Amino acid sequence: MTRILIIEDEQDLAGLVEYNLRAAGFETDTANTGAGGLSRARAQPPDLVLLDMMLPDIAGSEVLRMLKGDSELRKTNVIIVSAKGQETDRVQGLELGADDYVVKPFSVRELLLRVKAVLRRGDAEEGPAAVLTSGDIVLDTARHQVRVKGEEVVLTALEFRLLRTLLERSDRVQTREVLLSDVWGIQAEIHTRTVDTHIKRLREKLGPAGDIIETVRGVGYKLSPQ
């Protein structure tokens, strides 16, 4: 059964979300502090985390950084659920590695749809095993591993998904809007600099091998095989 961890300090809201998730067939666990959430996640890694950004002990952004920095948890899907709904807040959350961002107040039905969409996206990535290569880059979908000249490069789940998308569509221009839709699973309702930021970080992690990711000025990006 798919397990969802709810990290939320508003107990009434956490209870409502938990009730509806269980009614939809999910197994749930809850924590009302960031430290408690991290402890529960490490004890029993969840399939998805619903994370509030304003927790009483640790900022939600720091909890997210710690989740994505943990080798056992970095692949875990995370949906931020927050009253902070400014564009800058949403962009920051996605740049830190969240899979989606839901603004409070929200309808439970919408939240359930987003949870299912993120989980479906994760299942799709588990599809047929493949090894994708270009230049010095080798991406193994089965191992969820990237190597450059034989050395492993540690990527976040979003960075991995972004690189995989570019490799699968090699030599084809991908607009920022298409990448937002296909990699992040959202429509172009936020400023597209979040794509640029992830491309920059991906290039930095790949080193000189990342030069094959070309910027098509005014349009988007493409991976040009050597």
Side-chain angles (χ1 to χ4, degrees):
M1 186 180 292
T2 301
R3 183 169 176 273
I4 297 176
L5 172 61
I6 305 162
I7 306 178
E8 169 62 66
D9 65 329
E10 296 181 44
Q11 294 188 10
D12 289 345
L13 178 58
L16 175 66
V17 171
E18 183 175 33
Y19 172 82
N20 282 276
L21 286 171
R22 287 185 175 179
F26 296 105
E27 180 184 341
T28 62
D29 194 4
T30 61
N32 56 21
T33 64
L38 287 167
S39 176
R40 288 178 183 274
R42 288 166 178 154
Q44 190 177 358
D47 297 290
L48 184 144
V49 174
L50 293 176
L51 175 63
D52 182 24
M53 292 299 274
M54 294 184 287
L55 297 165
D57 56 342
I58 307 173
S61 57
E62 186 59 28
V63 174
L64 181 54
R65 285 192 187 94
M66 294 172 79
L67 286 170
K68 295 302 178 181
D70 189 310
S71 60
E72 298 297 319
L73 297 171
R74 65 171 179 248
K75 297 177 189 175
T76 303
N77 296 303
V78 178
I79 297 178
I80 291 173
V81 182
S82 176
K84 299 173 73 174
Q86 296 298 313
E87 180 182 303
T88 52
D89 299 317
R90 299 169 69 193
V91 168
Q92 181 192 39
L94 292 170
E95 288 177 349
L96 287 172
D99 295 275
D100 201 352
Y101 197 111
V102 176
V103 179
K104 299 177 182 176
F106 55 84
S107 75
V108 173
R109 182 172 178 271
E110 178 193 359
L111 181 63
L112 287 172
L113 287 173
R114 296 217 186 187
V115 165
K116 291 174 182 177
V118 168
L119 291 170
R120 272 198 311 273
R121 203 159 67 229
D123 289 341
E125 289 172 12
E126 297 294 328
V131 175
L132 306 172
T133 64
S134 188
D136 294 322
I137 301 170
V138 178
L139 182 147
D140 188 325
T141 62
R143 292 187 173 88
H144 206 274
Q145 185 180 77
V146 172
R147 291 185 177 275
V148 174
K149 291 186 176 180
E151 295 294 321
E152 184 174 2
V153 177
V154 177
L155 302 180
T156 66
L158 266 172
E159 290 164 349
F160 185 90
R161 199 152 60 228
L162 178 57
L163 179 58
R164 176 176 178 171
T165 299
L166 292 170
L167 284 166
E168 288 176 337
R169 303 171 187 180
S170 182
D171 219 19
R172 286 183 284 166
V173 177
Q174 303 299 305
T175 67
R176 291 171 175 83
E177 290 74 22
V178 164
L179 290 172
L180 273 174
S181 175
D182 294 353
V183 177
W184 278 261
I186 58 175
Q187 299 306 309
E189 56 189 28
I190 63 170
H191 197 285
T192 52
R193 73 182 177 89
T194 191
V195 176
D196 300 333
T197 300
H198 273 78
I199 289 286
K200 180 175 182 290
R201 290 178 182 170
L202 182 57
R203 283 172 172 157
E204 289 173 351
K205 288 188 176 183
L206 295 173
D211 291 345
I212 64 173
I213 302 174
E214 293 186 6
T215 301
V216 181
R217 198 166 299 279
V219 182
Y221 298 93
K222 73 172 181 176
L223 191 146
S224 296
Q226 294 177 338

